[in-house]
Amino acid sequence: MRYLTDRKRAIGKGASGTGTEHHWFMQVSAVGLAFMIPVWVYIFGSALGKGHADVVATFARPFPAILTGLVVFVGMRHFAKGAQMMIEDYARGSVKKGLIMLAISISYAVTAVAFYALAKIAL
């Protein structure tokens, strides 16, 4: 016999059984992006319209390169989790699983391509 109350069994579990992890992840990543994006837009905007050499020189510096990497990584993880939550709400069965795998694959591919481009610029 289990001596757990109904409340103890329900804490941390939502309708899907995963609790509020997705919600908290989205909240934390949104706050992180809210601080990073304006700085990144300023750096990107200052490089926009310049010649190739100037853009490479801008993103070869450590701060813009690290910030760009963080924006891409956190942004794509935020996208993947948000897309997963949306797909879980509106799709069913094997279509749901396929769409979730597609969304996560797209986020990993974009992250990999962006990291490769940053590495080519920085090195």
Side-chain angles (χ1 to χ4, degrees):
M1 181 173 186
R2 295 176 60 188
Y3 294 105
L4 294 175
T5 64
D6 291 337
R7 179 179 174 168
K8 182 66 173 174
R9 282 192 296 272
I11 289 178
K13 302 239 186 265
S16 65
T18 58
T20 57
E21 290 92 9
H22 283 279
H23 176 73
W24 276 108
F25 178 85
M26 295 300 284
Q27 294 297 317
V28 170
S29 63
V31 169
L33 286 169
F35 287 113
M36 287 189 289
I37 292 291
V39 177
W40 182 80
V41 166
Y42 177 77
I43 292 170
F44 181 77
S46 67
L48 195 63
K50 292 185 178 177
H52 180 267
D54 292 334
V55 172
V56 169
T58 298
F59 286 100
R61 294 191 324 238
F63 181 72
I66 290 170
L67 181 65
T68 302
L70 281 172
V71 165
V72 168
F73 180 75
V74 174
M76 285 296 105
R77 291 300 301 145
H78 187 81
F79 160 77
K81 291 283 190 177
Q84 180 180 351
M85 288 171 53
M86 178 193 63
I87 292 166
E88 286 172 350
D89 286 344
Y90 296 109
R92 298 285 177 248
S94 60
V95 173
K96 175 174 84 170
K97 292 177 186 174
L99 289 173
I100 289 172
M101 287 189 286
L102 178 66
I104 292 173
S105 298
I106 288 171
S107 72
Y108 285 157
V110 169
T111 303
V113 168
F115 284 173
Y116 177 75
L118 279 172
K120 291 247 335 171
I121 289 174
L123 300 177

